Amino acid sequence: MSAAPATSPSRSRDGTAASLLNDEERARIRAKSAQFAPPPAALPDGRRDLVGLSREELTDIMVEIGEKPFRTKQLWHWIYHQGATDFSRMSSIARPLQEKLAERFVIGRPGVVTEQTSQDSTRKFLFRFRDGQEAETVYIPDRQEDRGAVCISSQVGCTLSCTFCHTGTQALVRNLGAAEIVGQFMAARDSYGEWPSPKGETPRLLSTIVLMGMGEPLYNYDNVAKAMRIIMDGEGIGLSRRRITLSTSGVVPMMDQCGAELGINLAVSLHAVRDDLRDEIVPLNRKYPIREVIAACRRYPAASNARRITFEYIMLRGINDSEADARELVRLISGIPAKVNLIPFNPWPGSSYRPSTREQLDRFAKIVMDAGFASPIRMPRGRDILAACGQLRTESQRLRRAAGQPDAAPEAEDAGA
């Protein structure tokens, strides 16, 4: 990764929050993100995918083909509530219109390349999109109840190069579109047969979404936000914003926008309490150091005692797991409605890190808990199928080479920078 400078003319490590929260900074992030835009959501034969369109876009398309706007509500119900992929199943729509729609549109899903189920019932999907690129999605069932979390990817590869993360060894190939993000959740529900969408207090097997898969979701904010609005729409999938968590390594300007516009839960991949160490293991820290990330957490509007910010902390033996680190972590997050997820390092081929010992995990957790913060030790799930935290990776970049396409340019690893 080409290192971002520790300072810039507009901001230093001691810069004010105000210097971060401006339209120019967000526009710059979006301009970089646009260089890795997904391909159009259309088939080679010209048919367009209806998945991933906003209600307004779907209405415009219906008007374009000579249909009344009320068709949007019908289609929305069939696509996102019933999970239909075939227009002929839409019994409230007359057959001539079913045929007209089938000629022009599709209701897509990513292709399932592999579907693996772990010994602990974690299920990992390798999805292939229309251009041949791939991303992984994981379903993590609850150990006690019939519910669980779908861990969704937002990019093919990743731009951050965190040294402990297997995904970070794969350079960013491209962003995922809204249809591809929504499609991961819909395809996972296909696998478990959870259609139509459960309503009200009806239990959901796929009950939560965590944007913690491949990629940095805030470097693909517009597509992520569009996808989450579709998922939260009460007439379709209808998943509450309280059931959605976005994990970021600390893209500070977009954290503010996410809080203001989406109000979903926030998780921050902190992993170190000193800038010198975090610069090394989470290189984004060179751009948005710990002080600025923590300040953004204090501003996050959805944070409350009922909806705490989660700080993710990977436990690396002899690197960041000392009692002194635990005490500094407590100092940093003091006053924030928060909990700390302590994550034992999940080994992957070629990594030099080792997980902390159980004794050290317990000592670290006790210091955090004694300070009044919940600090569960998140035991690895799906390790046997490389589905645990930090283990996701695909061969998409190798496919680019095989197809004779250039690798992502060096600045791809600093997308949004």
Side-chain angles (χ1 to χ4, degrees):
M1 171 174 178
S2 57
T7 60
S8 70
S10 63
R11 181 182 64 253
S12 70
R13 286 191 183 278
D14 296 322
T16 63
S19 67
L20 290 165
L21 302 176
N22 57 66
D23 292 339
E24 182 179 346
E25 180 113 1
R26 283 188 280 266
R28 187 172 57 81
I29 290 172
R30 282 192 165 95
K32 281 287 187 180
S33 178
Q35 297 177 20
F36 303 94
L43 273 66
D45 63 12
R47 288 182 297 165
R48 184 169 181 180
D49 196 345
L50 295 184
V51 175
L53 298 178
S54 67
R55 280 183 175 270
E56 294 75 19
E57 290 169 332
L58 188 53
T59 298
D60 289 345
I61 284 176
M62 289 300 102
V63 172
E64 285 175 15
I65 65 169
E67 296 298 326
K68 299 293 186 183
F70 76 86
R71 297 296 185 192
T72 294
K73 185 171 184 177
Q74 289 181 313
L75 286 169
W76 198 270
H77 172 83
W78 283 107
I79 294 169
Y80 296 116
H81 180 69
Q82 297 290 347
T85 57
D86 186 342
F87 292 106
S88 67
R89 279 192 52 204
M90 299 181 178
S91 56
S92 62
I93 296 176
R95 184 170 296 279
L97 179 53
Q98 291 177 1
E99 294 172 352
K100 181 179 179 180
L101 293 170
E103 289 172 0
R104 293 167 170 81
F105 307 111
V106 296
I107 304 167
R109 295 285 194 275
V112 179
V113 180
T114 60
E115 184 174 324
Q116 300 170 275
T117 302
S118 167
Q119 294 174 357
D120 63 19
S121 298
T122 297
R123 187 170 297 181
K124 183 173 77 169
F125 304 87
L126 175 61
F127 289 126
R128 181 173 295 157
F129 305 105
R130 292 195 182 101
D131 62 350
Q133 303 294 359
E134 298 172 345
E136 291 188 318
T137 303
V138 176
Y139 173 66
I140 308 166
D142 189 274
R143 294 183 187 273
Q144 280 82 40
E145 300 183 41
D146 287 337
R147 64 182 185 185
V150 184
C151 183
I152 287 178
S153 294
S154 57
Q155 297 177 310
V156 179
C158 188
T159 185
L160 299 182
S161 301
C162 297
T163 57
F164 53 82
C165 180
H166 198 200
T167 311
T169 66
Q170 178 185 345
L172 179 64
V173 177
R174 69 167 175 83
N175 289 329
L176 294 178
E180 295 167 326
I181 296 168
V182 174
Q184 292 172 66
F185 184 72
M186 297 173 77
R189 289 183 68 176
D190 291 345
S191 178
Y192 285 90
E194 195 172 45
W195 298 106
S197 294
K199 288 289 188 181
E201 298 301 315
T202 304
R204 290 176 181 250
L205 189 64
L206 282 66
S207 58
T208 59
I209 286 175
V210 288
L211 287 152
M212 296 182 183
M214 297 172 60
E216 166 54 66
L218 292 186
Y219 275 160
N220 186 24
Y221 176 76
D222 291 333
N223 286 308
V224 167
K226 186 177 183 182
M228 293 306 105
R229 290 187 182 104
I230 291 169
I231 285 171
M232 291 187 291
D233 187 293
E235 293 185 5
I237 293 171
L239 202 63
S240 163
R241 69 187 68 239
R242 295 174 177 272
R243 297 289 184 180
I244 300 172
T245 299
L246 181 146
S247 177
T248 178
S249 289
V251 185
V252 171
M254 307 312 293
M255 290 167 66
D256 290 290
Q257 185 159 358
C258 178
E261 294 182 352
L262 296 180
I264 57 181
N265 300 321
L266 183 70
V268 176
S269 297
L270 192 61
H271 306 313
V273 294
R274 306 188 321 271
D275 280 320
D276 59 339
L277 177 58
R278 197 165 189 264
D279 284 352
E280 176 186 341
I281 65 175
V282 184
L284 182 66
N285 196 72
R286 300 167 188 163
K287 183 172 299 296
Y288 304 117
I290 292 172
R291 175 178 175 176
E292 295 177 0
V293 173
I294 296 297
C297 291
R298 295 186 187 280
R299 293 191 299 269
Y300 197 74
S304 66
N305 286 330
R307 298 177 63 194
R308 293 169 292 173
I309 290 176
T310 300
F311 289 94
E312 306 281 353
Y313 198 94
I314 197 99
M315 296 290 286
L316 305 172
R317 188 183 303 185
I319 304 292
N320 66 350
D321 63 349
S322 71
E323 286 88 340
D325 289 318
R327 287 189 287 271
E328 177 61 10
L329 174 60
V330 167
R331 188 194 70 80
L332 282 172
I333 67 175
S334 176
I336 298 175
K339 71 174 182 178
V340 178
N341 273 350
L342 299 179
I343 308 168
F345 172 67
N346 296 307
W348 44 268
S351 172
S352 60
Y353 292 114
R354 293 185 298 163
S356 300
T357 64
R358 181 67 201 207
E359 293 75 19
Q360 193 60 24
L361 276 165
D362 290 340
R363 282 194 289 267
F364 196 106
K366 185 176 187 304
I367 291 171
V368 179
M369 284 190 291
D370 286 350
F373 297 98
S375 56
I377 297 171
R378 202 168 80 187
M379 297 313 296
R381 303 287 298 277
R383 264 186 176 175
D384 55 320
I385 57 172
L386 288 180
C389 182
Q391 291 186 318
L392 302 187
R393 195 184 193 282
T394 74
E395 297 302 315
S396 279
Q397 187 165 356
R398 187 157 60 84
L399 288 174
R400 289 170 63 93
R401 293 194 186 107
Q405 301 174 13
D407 287 342
E411 60 265 31
E413 298 187 4
D414 197 24

